[in-house]
């Protein structure tokens, strides 16, 4: 719902971004890399007729990486007036709906129909999700460095959250944090706003 509402509120600007995202930001490169690795895994499991594993991998990506991390980090950028995450939010969600369609056809079709109203025109986009081309991994979007960098950011946020829980610090209470990690300093500096928001520091 957040993605569709955000796209709807920026509808006048949707022609300013292309359907195929060209990621500059670390978070965008990371989610596109993780999405394509997920597609690769899902297709491998489908070929081996391991449908339960295929569904699990797709679900885990959507829930854990796209919703828990990318969506929350995108909110920080959107609140600051940066509209650049919209194209990646829309693109990845549309593609994940295609990925999940064989496992949950009715709900994915309904969400897809609502979503595409607010996406830029895609050449050859079908009228229904059921006849849409199934996703194939794009190896050119694999980005091991972005994955490593974002894993460091997520580990930092998890670490702060664990300390907050251990010391029973209230969720709304912001605390000061000093990070001593010279090898990842440039990553933490570039993602400072997201870290502050997600870790409440």
């Amino acid at each position: 719902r957040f993605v569709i509402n955000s796209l709807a509120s920026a509808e006048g600007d949707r022609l300013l971004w292309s359907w195929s995202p060209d990621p500059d930001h670390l978070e965008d490169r990371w989610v596109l890399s993780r999405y394509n690795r997920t597609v690769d895994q899902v297709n491998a499991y489908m070929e081996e007729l391991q449908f339960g594993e295929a569904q699990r991998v797709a679900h885990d990506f959507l829930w854990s990486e796209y919703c828990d991390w990318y969506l929350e980090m995108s909110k920080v950028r959107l609140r600051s007036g940066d509209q650049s995450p919209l194209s990646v939010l829309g693109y990845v969600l549309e593609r994940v709906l295609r990925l999940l369609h064989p496992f949950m056809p009715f709900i994915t079709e309904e969400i897809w129909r609502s979503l595409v109203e607010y996406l830029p025109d895609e050449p050859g986009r079908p009228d229904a999700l059921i006849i849409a081309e199934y996703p194939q991994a794009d190896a050119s979007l694999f980005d091991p460095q972005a994955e490593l960098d974002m894993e460091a950011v997520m580990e930092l946020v998890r670490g702060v959250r664990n300390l907050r829980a251990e010391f029973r610090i209230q969720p709304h209470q912001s605390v000061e944090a000093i990070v001593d990690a010279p090898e990842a300093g440039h990553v933490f500096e570039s993602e400072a706003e997201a870290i502050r928001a997600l870790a409440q520091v």
Side-chain angles (χ1 to χ4, degrees), residues 34 38 82:
R34 292 299 307 138
T38 299
D82 179 1

Side-chain angles (χ1 to χ4, degrees), residues 160-187:
V160 172
R161 286 175 174 173
N162 289 342
L163 284 171
R164 293 176 65 90
E166 184 180 337
F167 289 100
R168 295 188 175 94
I169 299 170
Q170 296 300 312
H172 63 276
Q173 183 181 351
S174 187
V175 296
E176 184 177 349
I178 299 170
V179 179
D180 183 14
E183 69 286 351
H186 66 288
V187 177

Side-chain angles (χ1 to χ4, degrees), residues 65-82:
E65 294 175 288
Y66 181 80
C67 291
D68 281 355
W69 290 102
Y70 185 70
L71 189 60
E72 293 306 314
M73 290 180 171
S74 295
K75 288 178 183 178
V76 175
R77 290 164 61 195
L78 289 167
R79 278 193 288 263
S80 72
D82 179 1

Side-chain angles (χ1 to χ4, degrees), residues 28-182:
D28 301 337
R29 295 195 318 273
W30 169 75
V31 79
L32 288 168
S33 181
R34 292 299 307 138
Y35 162 73
N36 280 284
R37 289 193 192 280
T38 299
V39 169
D40 200 35
Q41 282 185 295
V42 167
N43 285 328
Y45 281 131
M46 295 282 266
E47 287 172 11
E48 297 168 3
L49 306 179
Q50 295 188 44
F51 303 123
E53 285 301 299
Q55 182 273 333
R56 180 191 59 76
V57 167
H59 171 272
D60 288 352
F61 168 77
L62 176 64
W63 193 252
S64 300
E65 294 175 288
Y66 181 80
C67 291
D68 281 355
W69 290 102
Y70 185 70
L71 189 60
E72 293 306 314
M73 290 180 171
S74 295
K75 288 178 183 178
V76 175
R77 290 164 61 195
L78 289 167
R79 278 193 288 263
S80 72
D82 179 1
Q83 299 292 303
S84 64
L86 287 176
S87 61
V88 179
L89 280 165
Y91 176 85
V92 174
L93 180 57
E94 195 273 348
R95 289 309 200 244
V96 170
L97 291 171
R98 292 185 187 210
L99 202 62
L100 286 168
H101 189 65
F103 308 105
M104 40 194 311
F106 300 109
I107 188 68
T108 52
E109 189 77 58
E110 184 67 24
I111 296 170
W112 186 84
R113 286 177 188 270
S114 297
L115 175 67
V116 295
E117 289 180 38
Y118 303 105
L119 296 177
D121 291 333
E122 177 190 9
R125 178 181 288 144
D127 295 329
L129 184 55
I130 195 169
I131 56 173
E133 183 179 344
Y134 200 67
Q136 299 298 316
D138 181 351
S140 71
L141 291 173
F142 290 171
D143 192 333
Q145 189 59 53
E147 292 183 39
L148 281 173
D149 290 347
M150 280 301 298
E151 187 56 40
V153 170
M154 292 185 292
E155 278 301 309
L156 175 61
V157 171
R158 284 187 200 109
V160 172
R161 286 175 174 173
N162 289 342
L163 284 171
R164 293 176 65 90
E166 184 180 337
F167 289 100
R168 295 188 175 94
I169 299 170
Q170 296 300 312
H172 63 276
Q173 183 181 351
S174 187
V175 296
E176 184 177 349
I178 299 170
V179 179
D180 183 14

